[in-house]
């Protein structure tokens, strides 16, 4: 992204947080679209709604 600046999370395909082992990650783009369609903030997602965007983390290796 030389010379450009990301303006929002929508500028990224999928965000993951390196540095910790977690068995799931989230489809952030789909969660944002869902919230926009419902007229709500991603901060307002209930736990059961957040689960809809979980997907297995292929890099997770249980120790």
């Amino acid at each position: 992204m030389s010379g450009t600046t990301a303006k929002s999370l929508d500028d990224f395909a999928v965000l993951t947080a390196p540095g910790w082992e977690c068995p799931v990650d989230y489809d952030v783009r789909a969660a944002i679209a869902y919230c926009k369609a419902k007229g709500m903030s991603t901060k307002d997602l209930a736990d059961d709604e957040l689960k809809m965007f979980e997907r297995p983390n292929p890099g997770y290796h249980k120790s």
Side-chain angles (χ1 to χ4, degrees):
M1 293 178 87
S2 179
T4 62
T5 303
K7 295 184 181 9
S8 73
L9 289 176
D10 288 329
D11 294 333
F12 300 94
V14 175
L15 298 178
T16 59
W20 73 72
E21 294 281 327
C22 185
V24 297
D25 65 7
Y26 297 89
D27 186 343
V28 175
R29 182 170 287 199
I32 291 169
Y34 173 84
C35 290
K36 281 184 181 179
K38 292 204 141 228
M40 61 191 277
S41 168
T42 53
K43 294 177 186 177
D44 297 327
L45 279 172
D47 289 343
D48 57 328
E49 290 173 307
L50 186 58
K51 280 194 165 295
M52 295 187 308
F53 306 105
E54 285 184 358
R55 54 189 190 183
N57 181 351
Y60 176 71
H61 301 288
K62 196 172 188 177
S63 299

